Amino acid sequence: MSLEVNISKTVGDIRLSKKFNLKEEIMIFYGPSGSGKTTILNCISGLNTPDKGKIKLNDRTIYSSNKKIDIPPFKRKIGYIFQDYALFPHLNVYENILYSKKDDKLDKSKINKIMDKCHIRELKNRYPSKLSGGEKQRVALARALMIEPELLLLDEPLSSIDNELKKKLMTEIKMIQREWQIPFIYVTHSKREFEFLGDRFICFNSTEEVDFNDYKKNIS
Amino acid sequence: MKYNIFKIIMLSIFTIFAAFIILVLISPTLYIKSTNLLNLLINSKEVSFSLILSITTSLSAVFLAIIFGIPTAYVLSRYEFKFKRIIDIILDIPLVLPPIILGLSLLVLLGPIGGNQLAKLGLNFVFTKLGIVMAQFVVVAPLLIRSLKIAFSNVDPKLEKAAMTLGDNHFQVFKNITIPLSKEGIITGVTTAWARAMGEFGATVMLAGATRLKTETLPIAVYLNMTTGDLEMAVTVSIVMIIFSIIIMGILQIYNKNIYDYGGIRQ
């Protein structure tokens, strides 16, 4: 599993230009709010279109400005966990998780395995409004994993979680990444998450652009 | 016990107003004897004709309004384009324009200007039942669009994006996320539009005319009977319309009680 990104996108006054390769590891997008982290994530997922460049996921070119390729988000097989989880309020936990499988034959053992992995089996009949922040995060993770993603994008998934729970959830995210062996891109402006989860980093800065493929090595 | 003057004033005004509205609504029933009312309701050809005509034309008008209204409202709530604000205002103008002016504009457009061309296609709007549908459509479509626009705007676009990353194309997102999450607003909008179409008079009378047992909707029946001095018949038709309004409000109330609370409990 690998991801190759070389794209640029202008949003307002900020010109974002990012180039990196990623294997089965956790890449952290680190930087202040408004520095373009989510924009790059949206470009990778297909929700935004870059101005130019190329994105390759495994052997598939999912975006190329030169070749005029722009695979729509629903065909990219990229899981996305939004900042506020974007759980569907009219569906219960089970229906949320199975959203991507609503037209397919259900593999119950797989569903149960993912629900157990994310510790949400007992929540399956609850609606999102009745879930805590940590439970929502787990449901969003399970829902994203159900599509069997080749890449998982996590946009500040722990920003509204209290510190006590945060460490537990960070450990779970790391474990799931190691088990699934797919690239994760994790957006945060928390130094704690950045240091705990990251295998590699890109730092975003709102005024100047600095890329560090081996930031951790440099600061140490 | 300490009196809350503020509360007393508010409750007094509320009581006076509520009593006044109830009195207005029941006054037709106070005028007519119940035996006469029942007799007219059951045996009058005019009442049954205008009721059936009103229901069929208003449902057709609302159906047309849904067909055009859903995409229009979605475009206005989701997309950005040049002159969007101006177009949005223009589409709202029929809401504040007297229906009689709308009817006159329709009469000019579908009569002297485009009537001949439309007639070649078999479409005759002037002084016909089709004209009633057209008049009701033009009056209620902006009303429905306004409700739908608010309903669509209240759906978080992030939910639609999330559905897209989970494998839904744009049509599926619209069907599975946007419509279910706007359902409450859509049903309220459609029901209100239907009630408005049933009561439409000004635009209808200008385009379709007021011909007894031909283009005689319920409001036109009231008007025709008042002009000929048959107050009893006018009151009977009015009562039919009041009953219809009560049914509409009842449907809305029952629906609002039964909608999901998104909390895991279907009430």
Side-chain angles (χ1 to χ4, degrees), chain A:
Chain A
M1 296 280 182
S2 66
L3 173 73
E4 290 173 46
V5 176
N6 183 6
I7 52 170
S8 61
K9 171 93 179 163
T10 303
V11 185
D13 298 334
I14 303 172
R15 186 175 178 274
L16 298 159
S17 179
K18 297 292 161 208
K19 182 181 177 183
F20 60 90
N21 295 333
L22 185 62
K23 294 214 173 346
E24 293 99 356
E25 51 202 339
I26 300 178
M27 161 79 83
I28 302 283
F29 282 3
Y30 181 71
S33 298
S35 58
K37 303 184 295 295
T38 301
T39 304
I40 295 296
L41 225 53
N42 286 342
C43 287
I44 295 168
S45 69
L47 295 173
N48 277 3
T49 307
D51 296 335
K52 61 177 183 177
K54 187 178 171 183
I55 305 171
K56 211 171 159 188
L57 182 58
N58 298 329
D59 295 328
R60 279 192 306 153
T61 301
I62 55 174
Y63 173 79
S64 169
S65 53
N66 287 342
K67 292 181 184 169
K68 307 252 181 285
I69 295 171
D70 190 5
I71 305 286
F74 47 90
K75 288 185 179 166
R76 290 196 180 191
K77 287 206 85 171
I78 295 176
Y80 198 142
I81 298 176
F82 292 83
Q83 191 172 2
D84 53 5
Y85 313 118
L87 297 179
F88 306 127
H90 59 307
L91 304 178
N92 65 25
V93 166
Y94 194 66
E95 291 163 335
N96 261 282
I97 293 169
L98 292 188
Y99 189 85
S100 59
K101 301 289 173 197
K102 55 191 174 300
D103 300 324
D104 300 347
K105 210 175 168 191
L106 298 177
D107 178 354
K108 288 218 166 165
S109 63
K110 189 180 139 198
I111 298 162
N112 289 337
K113 191 183 154 200
I114 288 177
M115 287 211 292
D116 288 341
K117 194 66 58 190
C118 299
H119 311 289
I120 52 167
R121 205 198 262 245
E122 69 283 6
L123 306 174
K124 65 188 229 179
N125 293 320
R126 284 209 222 155
Y127 278 76
S129 63
K130 303 286 182 198
L131 300 176
S132 68
E135 288 168 340
K136 282 182 187 169
Q137 190 270 335
R138 288 184 173 125
V139 174
L141 182 61
R143 188 178 69 174
L145 291 176
M146 278 304 289
I147 66 164
E148 296 172 75
E150 295 171 9
L151 164 70
L152 188 65
L153 309 173
L154 303 99
D155 189 3
E156 302 195 37
L158 305 181
S159 60
S160 54
I161 305 286
D162 61 76
N163 279 335
E164 202 60 35
L165 186 58
K166 204 175 252 186
K167 189 168 183 192
K168 196 177 170 204
L169 293 173
M170 283 195 295
T171 311
E172 285 175 14
I173 287 171
K174 200 161 192 169
M175 274 172 58
I176 285 171
Q177 193 278 327
R178 298 299 185 244
E179 190 177 321
W180 281 67
Q181 286 292 302
I182 56 170
F184 277 28
I185 297 179
Y186 189 103
V187 169
T188 185
H189 53 242
S190 153
K191 198 161 181 254
R192 191 176 161 210
E193 292 168 45
F194 162 89
E195 286 175 349
F196 184 87
L197 284 168
D199 296 314
R200 299 173 59 208
F201 309 92
I202 288 183
C203 281
F204 285 65
N205 191 302
S206 56
T207 51
E208 58 176 15
E209 184 205 320
V210 190
D211 281 20
F212 295 98
N213 279 342
D214 285 311
Y215 186 82
K216 202 173 186 177
K217 204 185 288 175
N218 286 347
I219 58 169
S220 66

Side-chain angles (χ1 to χ4, degrees), chain B residues 151-208:
Chain B
F152 291 149
S153 300
N154 286 337
V155 177
D156 184 355
K158 206 177 262 184
L159 297 173
E160 295 173 339
K161 288 177 183 172
M164 223 173 259
T165 65
L166 294 167
D168 272 6
N169 62 33
H170 292 89
F171 289 100
Q172 289 167 323
V173 170
F174 191 67
K175 179 175 89 66
N176 298 326
I177 301 297
T178 318
I179 293 287
L181 288 177
S182 325
K183 198 164 70 177
E184 194 182 341
I186 292 172
I187 290 181
T188 305
V190 168
T191 323
T192 315
W194 186 33
R196 178 71 187 83
M198 281 286 283
E200 212 304 298
F201 175 74
T204 308
V205 86
M206 288 304 285
L207 184 62

Side-chain angles (χ1 to χ4, degrees), chain B residues 24-28 237-247:
Chain B
V24 168
L25 290 174
I26 64 166
S27 60
V237 177
S238 302
I239 290 170
V240 172
M241 294 208 69
I242 290 168
I243 292 168
F244 173 78
S245 305
I246 292 169
I247 291 170

